[in-house]
Amino acid sequence: MTDPAFSFDVHAQPAEQVFNTVDSQPDGLSHEQVQLRHQQYGANRLTPAVGESPWVKFFRQFNNVLIYVLLVAATMSWLLGRWTDGTVIFAVVIINGIFGFLQEGKAEQALASIRSMLRVHTHVLRDGVRQQIDAEELTLGDVVLLESGDRVPADLRLFEGINLAVQESALTGESFSVQKQTDPVRVDAPLAERFCMLYAGTLVTQGRARGITVNIGDNTEIGKIGSMLRSVEPLTTPLMKQLGDLGTTLTKAILILTGLTFFFGWIWRAYPIDELFMAAVGLAVAAIPEGLPAVITITLAIGVQRMANHNAIIRRLPAVETLGSVSVICTDKTGTLTRNEMSAQSVQIHQGELAVSGVGYSPLGDITSAQKALNDTQQLTLQRLAVAAVLCNDARFDQKTIPWQLHGDPTEGALLILAAKAGLDPAAIQQSIPRLAEIPFESTHGYMATLHPSPEGSTQPYQLLLKGAPEKILQFCTQVWTPTGFLPLELTEWQQAIDHFAARGQRVLALAEAETSNPFISTAHQTQTTPDLTCYPFTLLGLVGIMDPPREEAHLAIMQCRQAGIHVIMVTGDHASTATAIGSQLGLNEPLTVITGSELEQMPAEELQAKAAHIDIVARATPTHKLKLVSALQADHHVVAMTGDGVNDAPALKRADIGVAMGKKGTEAAKEAAEMVLADDNFATLRTAVLEGRTVYDNLRKALVFLLPTNGGQALVMIAAILLGITLPITPVQILWVNMVSAITLSLPLVFDQAAPNLMQRSPRQSHEALLEPVLLFRIAFVSVLLMIATLVIYHWSMLHHADLARARTVAINCLVGAEMVYLISCRSLLNSTFSVRGWLDNGYALLAIFLLSLLQLALTYLPFMHLLFGTDGLDLQDWIMIVSSCLLLYLLMEVEKQLTPRFLFRSKKA
């Protein structure tokens, strides 16, 4: 679409000039103009993100160096005529790929929803006739008609507005609705201060409007953010980096060992070439943990399922683990830490300050003074103020459900809820007392005024009510209302109350009344845009402090994140003073370190990188600021989670190590950019997700520490046999059996282990920290050697006593599998003893796996057709006593090593 040059500064042009620039008129475009512009500028839609085809997603599952080696091993087996061996290896690879593909697709389906914020219907004027069209049919110059509740379908230059307010939090991060007006603003006005503009994706909360379409599709402010989003490349997760490095290292080591063993057997032991080739294949299959990709996928999938049960939807499997290594959470305020519902928190009347309990759009709550019930004087004054707040108000509530459903401006809705908590019925008051005249709110004069019949006992027939910014209202007031009479207005005392409310992050409104005999609202200067109400003797009723309150559970969640060593940074579009007050209530670090977006932007990259992790709040932040902050934290080696719900959050969500979008109030742009979506919009859910992420990582390490020695022990048996020039104690096809029935079967129960008791008291894992620390590498080597020695010794014992190769190999296989069974129990805690009832019995999956594998081994040992396929033979009681005794001895040695090695050779955290 052509990018019209006039679109950039229309906020600084008078509406008449904008009509001339876009070649339009107040009664809309003609049919011919619409057709021509559709051809020139295209449809009003955002360019969709380029998705992966199902085939690309499927083949991406095989992009792993270990899988490459397994495919080569399968091919070599086929070339040597070992069709069964090659087919088994290939089948394992394909099954793993299918499983990963299905899990990723299932996670994507969980987010199926409306794909565009612009797919709405809107009303336009064309040829002077009002029409309803699909928003995609809008074009430049169209005149759009909007009312309360409508979503703005494109970027519009406002030329007519009546009591108009717009919720722009999805774009700017501001909690409050913005009052709009038609006058141009300065050219360099920031987006949040362009009061004559309406932007695509924002919501009209009050009033009516007409605007000229000046930007559509990708040229809207939402579209520009979308373009920025497409240019941001997501990062590889720490787990994928570490597993990639591990796979590369394992592959190199396996290939080198296989090559050296092959040449040793050829040159020094004179093995036949075809036998050496199969021995090499057997060594590669024995050494490669082919079950590892499947175990990783299953572990992550189980993490996905657990998180889904806690309202956290994972879009990509590796994101589960990434949560466990998060060290910094950059969180949006509005709708994430706060409820995104305005609530009256405080009331100031002549008799003192009143506290209002209860949050959101629910009438449940109390109003108290110094934690005591109100006296009669306070109650009468409060009700007088509440009636004024209800009448000087355009909002309405649908009271069929709790919380009530708001229709109108959130700030005005908070005043209606305040009246309900004061014991009044807002709907009944609005119906019984008519509105005779009004002055709609405009930012130019900062207040709203309504005229009504006076209540009983008044000296004049009409009552004029006033609501607005306290600095404006106090100018008109000379006295204060009390039930017993009027008192002089002490301006200093009321200003202190205003400052006190503002310091707590509350937006302050003042309410006043005046009696008059005029049934019309008169102004001293009818030609002025701003009315003059100085001719009315206004009496101050009181002040109301309103804010978007923090979520009740957010404070506890932040405290738990801090205990887990996770630093929380609040990033918001609010003013610094408001953000600071909210941050203190949420329990962020004290004293708070607060900077503004402009300060962050001017900070050199090196300075920001050094200071980023010590920032607690970033106020007045734009999408660019959020992106720069995340990048600075990552440059300082932090693993960063970014939470948010707005379009403006999407680029930072995508750039972060893990983006976390809100499911209920989050925009589709945010959800598409995020790795995880919180279905309940609850920041506290993130704490549970971090716990699950850390549990997944712990369980993955357990699976690695289990798989690598079992494969290593098998490989060492093959190598030792070739080096010693003896008959292989286990044949390649028997190794395939062991891998097929034990490697995945026995490692899977580890992924069901519950979180360690101290898991959320540990510091976050560093992104550069090794997947396997030195003590675990020693364990892997130690157990590999133990398995090799046990297998060779029991094989040699059987040959000495029975001189039967098939029987000796059967004893060796059963000893190897039995040793893996007890090693499974030992791996349930990597550094703490499992020599207890809990260590053996509290994971039912482990006991089930041992039981099933025992049945399979009995089938391998005693069924005739298994003898034929795998070259095994039956055993007697003496053989089983030797096997069980060897396994128990190995278990004791493993547990002793677990206690001695960390104490004398390494320093390590307990897991």
Side-chain angles (χ1 to χ4, degrees):
M1 188 182 83
T2 305
D3 187 4
F6 62 81
S7 66
F8 292 108
D9 60 354
V10 291
H11 58 276
Q13 301 177 10
E16 297 78 7
Q17 183 178 342
V18 176
F19 273 119
N20 293 332
T21 306
V22 302
D23 189 19
S24 183
Q25 49 279 332
D27 61 355
L29 300 173
S30 66
H31 177 74
E32 292 76 15
Q33 286 177 306
V34 170
Q35 297 301 316
L36 182 62
R37 296 186 187 195
H38 278 162
Q39 296 176 7
Q40 183 177 1
Y41 299 120
N44 177 36
R45 68 168 69 98
L46 302 179
T47 300
V50 179
E52 292 180 330
S53 71
W55 285 110
V56 171
K57 289 182 179 179
F58 178 70
F59 285 114
R60 179 160 46 79
Q61 310 301 321
F62 304 98
N63 187 22
N64 184 296
V65 66
L66 291 175
I67 298 297
Y68 300 156
V69 175
L70 285 175
L71 291 173
V72 171
T75 303
M76 289 177 61
S77 298
W78 287 330
L79 292 176
L80 293 171
R82 304 295 182 112
W83 296 102
T84 302
D85 298 354
T87 301
V88 170
I89 298 172
F90 186 73
V92 170
V93 172
I94 295 300
I95 291 172
N96 170 71
I98 292 173
F99 192 89
F101 173 75
L102 292 177
Q103 281 296 329
E104 189 167 315
K106 184 178 180 180
E108 286 294 334
Q109 291 173 8
L111 288 175
S113 58
I114 299 172
R115 290 300 171 190
S116 173
M117 293 179 65
L118 296 181
R119 290 304 302 268
V120 295
H121 289 87
T122 191
H123 289 89
V124 297
L125 281 180
R126 289 180 177 172
D127 291 319
V129 179
R130 182 186 179 105
Q131 303 177 24
Q132 180 175 321
I133 63 170
D134 191 303
E136 288 193 358
E137 298 177 17
L138 275 180
T139 190
L140 297 178
D142 258 325
V143 173
V144 178
L145 313 177
L146 297 169
E147 296 179 352
S148 176
D150 289 343
R151 190 168 294 278
V152 180
D155 286 0
L156 310 177
R157 171 59 168 89
L158 187 65
F159 69 90
E160 183 179 311
I162 300 176
N163 199 23
L164 183 64
V166 179
Q167 173 60 264
E168 296 181 334
S169 62
L171 195 62
T172 65
E174 285 280 11
S175 304
F176 300 100
S177 294
V178 179
Q179 300 295 328
K180 295 291 184 176
Q181 46 85 23
T182 59
D183 295 334
V185 297
R186 68 183 192 277
V187 174
D188 60 348
L191 186 143
E193 297 177 8
R194 297 178 185 177
F195 303 116
C196 61
M197 296 294 298
L198 304 180
Y199 292 106
T202 59
L203 183 69
V204 178
T205 59
Q206 178 179 295
R208 301 187 299 277
R210 296 190 179 198
I212 319 161
T213 304
V214 294
N215 268 323
I216 62 175
D218 288 340
N219 278 346
T220 61
E221 291 299 323
I222 286 179
K224 293 173 185 176
I225 294 175
S227 300
M228 184 191 305
L229 180 62
R230 289 191 292 273
S231 67
V232 176
E233 292 297 327
L235 297 181
T236 303
T237 70
L239 176 66
M240 292 300 102
K241 293 176 185 176
Q242 292 171 326
L243 289 175
D245 294 341
L246 176 63
T248 301
T249 302
L250 281 176
T251 301
K252 291 178 180 178
I254 290 168
L255 292 178
I256 292 173
L257 279 175
T258 302
L260 291 176
T261 305
F262 178 85
F263 284 110
F264 182 88
W266 181 27
I267 295 173
W268 279 278
R269 297 301 184 195
Y271 278 95
I273 293 295
D274 60 339
E275 187 175 342
L276 267 178
F277 264 117
M278 278 314 299
V281 171
L283 174 56
V285 172
I288 291 176
E290 64 268 21
L292 181 59
V295 169
I296 292 170
T297 303
I298 293 169
T299 305
L300 296 178
I302 290 172
V304 167
Q305 184 178 5
R306 285 177 173 174
M307 290 187 183
N309 293 335
H310 293 287
N311 294 311
I313 299 171
I314 299 296
R315 299 183 68 239
R316 289 186 180 274
L317 292 181
V320 179
E321 176 276 332
T322 308
L323 278 165
S325 58
V326 164
S327 58
V328 178
I329 297 176
C330 298
T331 175
D332 184 41
K333 177 184 73 68
T334 305
T336 307
L337 295 173
T338 63
R339 299 175 59 92
N340 202 18
E341 296 176 344
M342 307 307 297
S343 297
Q345 303 282 296
S346 309
V347 176
Q348 182 70 42
I349 56 178
H350 173 71
Q351 294 87 358
E353 181 181 337
L354 311 181
V356 185
S357 65
V359 294
Y361 300 139
S362 168
L364 304 177
D366 298 315
I367 302 176
T368 57
S369 175
Q371 299 181 345
K372 298 180 180 179
L374 304 184
N375 58 41
D376 292 342
T377 302
Q378 291 172 326
Q379 186 68 38
L380 289 172
T381 306
L382 172 63
Q383 291 193 348
R384 184 89 174 191
L385 178 146
V387 169
V390 170
L391 295 176
C392 193
N393 196 313
D394 288 326
R396 300 289 186 275
F397 273 107
D398 180 355
Q399 302 181 17
K400 296 178 182 178
T401 60
I402 291 181
W404 293 351
Q405 297 299 311
L406 174 66
H407 300 282
D409 181 74
T411 300
E412 292 196 324
L415 293 176
L416 297 183
I417 294 295
L418 172 67
K421 293 176 181 177
L424 304 179
D425 185 345
I429 293 173
Q430 290 174 333
Q431 290 176 1
S432 62
I433 303 178
R435 180 182 298 182
L436 305 177
E438 68 178 293
I439 299 176
F441 181 91
E442 293 286 351
S443 58
T444 52
H445 52 255
Y447 57 78
M448 174 184 180
T450 58
L451 186 69
H452 308 270
S454 289
E456 294 183 5
S458 301
T459 58
Q460 300 292 337
Y462 303 105
Q463 181 186 47
L464 183 61
L465 301 177
L466 195 62
K467 176 194 71 185
E471 62 271 17
K472 298 288 187 180
I473 304 303
L474 290 177
Q475 293 177 359
F476 302 125
C477 297
T478 57
Q479 55 190 9
V480 180
W481 190 92
T482 70
T484 57
F486 302 125
L487 297 176
L489 175 69
E490 297 292 341
L491 190 60
T492 302
E493 294 180 4
W494 289 95
Q495 187 60 52
Q496 289 176 350
I498 294 170
D499 295 340
H500 185 55
F501 285 5
R504 289 183 284 185
Q506 298 175 7
R507 179 183 182 183
V508 186
L509 291 178
L511 292 108
E513 65 175 26
E515 295 182 350
T516 178
S517 60
N518 192 340
F520 304 99
I521 300 178
S522 61
T523 56
H525 304 285
Q526 296 288 343
T527 59
Q528 290 185 358
T529 302
T530 303
D532 184 1
L533 300 180
T534 55
C535 59
Y536 295 99
F538 278 102
T539 300
L540 182 66
L541 297 174
L543 307 174
V544 180
I546 299 174
M547 69 181 300
D548 180 10
R551 291 180 177 271
E552 296 173 357
E553 63 276 12
H555 185 280
L556 176 61
I558 288 176
M559 181 183 70
Q560 292 172 333
C561 286
R562 291 177 60 184
Q563 289 175 348
I566 301 171
H567 182 55
V568 179
I569 302 176
M570 186 171 75
V571 187
T572 176
D574 278 343
H575 289 284
S577 58
T578 302
T580 301
I582 295 291
S584 296
Q585 294 181 36
L586 287 167
L588 296 178
N589 289 333
E590 295 287 354
L592 292 171
T593 301
V594 184
I595 67 169
T596 64
S598 58
E599 292 171 341
L600 183 147
E601 186 173 2
Q602 296 171 5
M603 200 176 292
E606 296 79 8
E607 182 181 355
L608 179 59
Q609 180 178 331
K611 294 182 177 180
H614 304 288
I615 296 171
D616 299 302
I617 296 174
V618 180
R620 283 302 191 194
T622 67
T624 304
H625 300 149
K626 296 178 181 182
L627 200 58
K628 187 174 181 181
L629 175 64
V630 171
S631 300
L633 289 164
Q634 290 171 334
D636 196 32
H637 307 293
H638 288 282
V639 178
V640 183
M642 171 74 191
T643 73
D645 58 358
V647 176
N648 59 328
D649 297 321
L653 287 174
K654 188 174 181 180
R655 181 66 175 87
D657 295 278
I658 179 163
V660 183
M662 301 298 110
K664 289 183 178 178
K665 297 181 180 179
T667 61
E668 283 302 311
K671 295 175 189 176
E672 288 295 326
E675 318 303 312
M676 185 174 84
V677 177
L678 300 183
D680 59 357
D681 286 12
N682 192 339
F683 182 81
T685 302
L686 193 54
R687 182 262 177 195
T688 304
V690 170
L691 173 63
E692 289 295 342
R694 292 188 175 190
T695 303
V696 164
Y697 187 81
D698 266 17
N699 291 345
L700 275 177
R701 287 207 311 166
K702 293 176 185 178
L704 274 176
V705 174
F706 174 81
L707 282 171
L708 294 181
T710 56
N711 287 96
Q714 296 169 31
L716 288 179
V717 168
M718 302 290 288
I719 293 172
I722 294 174
L723 294 180
L724 296 173
I726 63 175
T727 305
L728 293 178
I730 304 177
T731 65
V733 71
Q734 290 170 345
I735 287 177
L736 282 173
W737 165 264
V738 173
N739 287 349
M740 182 172 60
V741 302
S742 68
I744 297 178
T745 306
L746 288 180
S747 59
L748 277 181
L750 294 172
V751 309
F752 293 97
D753 269 347
Q754 298 301 313
N758 65 339
L759 195 57
M760 288 303 286
Q761 277 70 52
R762 301 180 195 170
S763 298
R765 188 181 75 258
Q766 298 296 316
S767 58
H768 57 274
E769 183 178 315
L771 184 62
L772 298 172
E773 52 194 288
V775 68
L776 297 181
L777 292 174
F778 181 85
R779 169 85 43 74
I780 290 169
F782 177 77
V783 175
S784 298
V785 173
L786 277 184
L787 294 179
M788 175 196 70
I789 292 174
T791 304
L792 290 176
V793 168
I794 203 165
Y795 167 79
H796 182 65
W797 171 86
S798 183
M799 287 295 292
L800 287 177
H801 283 75
H802 304 294
D804 184 337
L805 181 60
R807 183 170 178 174
R809 283 175 168 170
T810 306
V811 171
I813 293 172
N814 280 292
C815 180
L816 181 59
V817 173
E820 292 179 359
M821 290 179 183
V822 297
Y823 185 47
L824 166 65
I825 300 299
S826 180
C827 284
R828 294 206 52 239
S829 179
L830 294 181
L831 298 174
N832 289 331
S833 175
T834 59
F835 196 70
S836 64
V837 174
R838 180 179 181 274
W840 278 80
L841 300 181
D842 75 339
N843 186 336
Y845 294 101
L847 298 178
L848 178 62
I850 290 174
F851 174 73
L852 292 176
L853 188 54
S854 298
L855 294 180
L856 289 172
Q857 286 302 116
L858 290 174
L860 178 73
T861 304
Y862 293 109
L863 294 181
F865 78 91
M866 298 293 277
H867 296 170
L868 182 64
L869 288 175
F870 293 98
T872 55
D873 201 358
L875 304 180
D876 60 19
L877 180 60
Q878 184 183 25
D879 294 326
W880 285 115
I881 292 175
M882 286 297 298
I883 292 170
V884 173
S885 300
S886 300
C887 293
L888 292 178
L889 176 61
L890 289 177
Y891 174 71
L892 292 176
L893 291 174
M894 294 169 186
E895 289 299 294
V896 170
E897 180 276 332
K898 190 188 297 184
Q899 300 302 314
L900 296 181
T901 301
R903 186 177 304 174
F904 295 106
L905 298 181
F906 303 102
R907 291 182 179 180
S908 176
K909 299 176 183 178
K910 289 188 176 182

